[in-house]
Amino acid sequence: MSAPGKDAAGAGSARAAGSARPLAARPPGAGLRGELSIPGDKSISHRALIFGALAVGRTEITGLLEGEDVLRTAAAMRALGARVTRTGPGAWQVDGLGVGGLMEPDDILDFGNAGTGVRLCMGLVAGHPITAFFTGDASLRRRPMGRVLDPLMAFGAEVFAGARGLRLPLGLRGAEAPRPADITLTVPSAQVKSAILLAGLAAPGITSLVEPVPTRDHTERLLRHFGAELDIQPLPRGGHRIALRGQPELRPARVAVPGDPSSAAFPLVAALLVPGSELRLRHVLVNPGRIGLLTTLTEMGADITLVNPREEGGEPVADLVVRASRLRGVPVPAERAPSMIDEYPILAIAAALAEGETRMEGLGELRVKESDRLAVMETGLRAAGVSVEAGPDSLTVRGTGPAGRPRGGARIATHLDHRIAMSFLVLGLVSEAGMEVDDGTMIATSFPGFEGLMREVGAEIGGLT
Ligand code: S3P
């Protein structure tokens, strides 16, 4: 594909020269049509491997997301002593060692780009009498780790950090005799919640945790699936009190990983925006803690139908049928943020073509994701000619409405952020001059095969020649 335009957001080139792979997208001649199988859910994939390592015996996983992030967790489980074997596409076996049975790794655990992987593994290590050192790529090394390490110290774990404070690289000595803790989350983060529950598994007695704001509950669901004892009480103003009995013998389980709604979001929004589109996205997770984007898009006038809703492996799943729609801007309330926290970049793209204003609030957490997503979305949308404004924790986008489309014609600096790359490629499908991103390699962290799948249904996305 030829380059559509000028370098409009060049600061902070993504990767070392030579390894980046710029991509471009431009409007296709016809609507996107067909059926897609969405790769496995990233959150559940990490957790399936981790709980497999903590169970006594063999866990069988199907539909595992074979993206870079999850492969790092698989490698970490091996380094901690579990046997992890790939038996076919998406099919993995984990021979676990039991709670308390993990072994000290003999090298640094490198989690690449994966915030979920590293934070959950910190929880694991905190409950074991072992020491581990953690690092990651430039993006992960910038992200805050204090939010997870502070509560883990309550179990008796000890942190070794350098002058940069609680950021990678750092070391963690797990507790010799972990004590159960009573913790209230101060950030609405399922990663922090999960790390605490993983540490609590190794402590005798009851670990209790209050999450004032509900966050994704895959850890709780999988804990039960693997046989842990968990009491979950709703709080009057939302949120939960969770009590976990420590030192259970987790039994191995079968885990069928459904498609990731956070990945489905990209073809879904593309189909809403490219005129004449109709896509069926098969086997997508529709856990209530993950469908804030579907709720918001429906309020915006999107034509999305959930077909054949069913329950699989303790999680609700459905096929999504989506047709091109005229969208209108809506206010998106702050309370909805945890249920769509990874979807704001692509929602902002939908908002850029909607009629009127979309104001998204409660987005402070977006500043500490794989990139500062508020800043990067603001810069990129503006470079593409979209009217946008970011506040400290909000984003307001004024869309073109059905009569127009954004100018596009810009190259976006993705800052090692897979979701920024995919979002602006979707914008490229519906902007006058197309769009480029400086690097598409990070897409493989969560959505391997994105380019090919999108092309299969008619999208014009490809490498630059
Ligand atoms: C995740 C939780 C979210 C999300 C991340 C995956 C998880 O992060 O952004 O992509 O699997 O628990 P926070 O828990 O920090 O909000």
Side-chain angles (χ1 to χ4, degrees):
M1 268 184 120
S2 65
K6 64 184 189 296
D7 189 339
S13 171
R15 291 163 76 88
S19 57
R21 181 160 183 267
L23 292 176
R26 63 183 174 208
L32 309 181
R33 295 201 153 247
E35 291 200 13
L36 288 180
S37 286
I38 301 298
D41 186 71
K42 185 149 73 76
S43 294
I44 297 177
S45 294
H46 283 296
R47 287 160 171 82
L49 291 166
I50 291 172
F51 287 121
L54 287 177
V56 182
R58 176 166 296 175
T59 285
E60 307 260 3
I61 308 169
T62 52
L64 189 89
L65 170 64
E66 293 175 330
E68 292 292 329
D69 278 14
V70 173
L71 298 179
R72 299 280 182 160
T73 292
M77 293 308 105
R78 281 194 192 108
L80 290 165
R83 230 178 107 214
V84 182
T85 319
R86 183 177 190 265
T87 56
W92 291 64
Q93 290 175 343
V94 185
D95 292 297
L97 300 168
V99 171
L102 298 181
M103 296 186 297
E104 187 161 290
D106 61 11
D107 201 353
I108 298 171
L109 303 176
D110 183 348
F111 281 89
N113 198 245
T116 305
V118 76
R119 291 187 174 128
L120 268 54
C121 283
M122 285 175 172
L124 261 189
V125 168
H128 283 74
I130 59 176
T131 296
F133 294 88
F134 300 86
T135 193
D137 69 8
S139 155
L140 196 57
R141 292 198 305 272
R142 279 193 293 269
R143 298 178 66 184
M145 295 296 150
R147 53 179 54 203
V148 63
L149 292 168
D150 287 336
L152 292 181
M153 289 186 228
F155 291 90
E158 212 185 312
V159 179
F160 315 103
R164 297 173 65 248
L166 296 180
R167 297 195 193 259
L168 301 181
L170 49 75
L172 186 63
R173 189 203 305 276
E176 283 295 327
R179 37 180 195 267
D182 187 348
I183 294 168
T184 297
L185 291 189
T186 52
V187 231
S189 165
Q191 293 178 355
V192 177
K193 171 175 70 175
S194 303
I196 293 168
L197 292 173
L198 283 162
L201 271 182
I206 305 287
T207 283
S208 75
L209 182 151
V210 170
E211 57 164 2
V213 175
T215 63
R216 65 188 69 189
D217 63 356
H218 310 304
T219 296
E220 297 89 309
R221 287 175 188 251
L222 276 177
L223 272 170
R224 283 189 170 141
H225 188 57
F226 279 81
E229 206 186 303
L230 210 59
D231 179 58
I232 305 177
Q233 296 299 332
L235 297 173
R237 293 209 198 128
H240 303 97
R241 171 178 287 281
I242 302 169
L244 168 71
R245 180 173 298 284
Q247 300 187 332
E249 177 161 320
L250 296 186
R251 48 171 193 261
R254 284 178 188 275
V255 183
V257 183
D260 194 329
S262 300
S263 296
F266 299 101
L268 186 141
V269 168
L272 287 175
L273 300 183
V274 176
S277 298
E278 177 167 340
L279 285 186
R280 186 182 183 113
L281 309 172
R282 284 188 295 255
H283 199 239
V284 180
L285 175 73
V286 287
N287 177 310
R290 297 288 300 281
I291 54 168
L293 179 72
L294 294 184
T295 307
T296 305
L297 289 171
T298 304
E299 288 174 3
M300 293 172 82
D303 181 350
I304 304 170
T305 316
L306 266 67
V307 181
N308 187 17
R310 53 213 187 263
E311 176 116 350
E312 281 177 20
E315 291 277 6
V317 171
D319 294 351
L320 305 180
V321 175
V322 46
R323 297 183 188 87
S325 307
R326 287 173 70 135
L327 303 180
R328 53 185 179 273
V330 294
V332 188
E335 313 81 79
R336 201 174 288 162
S339 68
M340 55 179 299
I341 195 65
D342 293 332
E343 279 69 82
Y344 285 99
I346 190 63
L347 175 63
I349 303 298
L353 281 102
E355 179 141 33
E357 184 177 287
T358 297
R359 184 171 164 80
M360 301 160 242
E361 303 208 8
L363 307 190
E365 278 295 298
L366 292 198
R367 297 211 177 267
V368 291
K369 292 296 178 189
E370 285 81 333
S371 67
D372 175 345
R373 286 182 174 158
L374 276 183
V376 175
M377 286 311 294
E378 184 185 40
T379 309
L381 283 170
R382 210 165 265 160
V386 176
S387 165
V388 57
E389 208 173 306
D393 68 351
S394 67
L395 190 69
T396 304
V397 177
R398 277 166 291 277
T400 56
R405 46 162 96 178
R407 181 187 72 231
R411 173 183 278 222
I412 301 302
T414 50
H415 299 271
L416 293 173
D417 191 330
H418 51 134
R419 295 200 169 103
I420 294 296
M422 288 185 276
S423 296
F424 280 104
L425 289 170
V426 170
L427 181 61
L429 299 176
V430 287
S431 51
E432 279 165 24
M435 289 293 288
E436 282 180 26
V437 298
D438 66 347
D439 185 17
T441 53
M442 301 312 291
I443 292 172
T445 60
S446 67
F447 199 153
F450 170 76
E451 238 179 285
L453 277 186
M454 292 297 286
R455 274 208 297 265
E456 254 173 50
V457 293
E460 298 224 11
I461 297 180
L464 290 167
T465 46

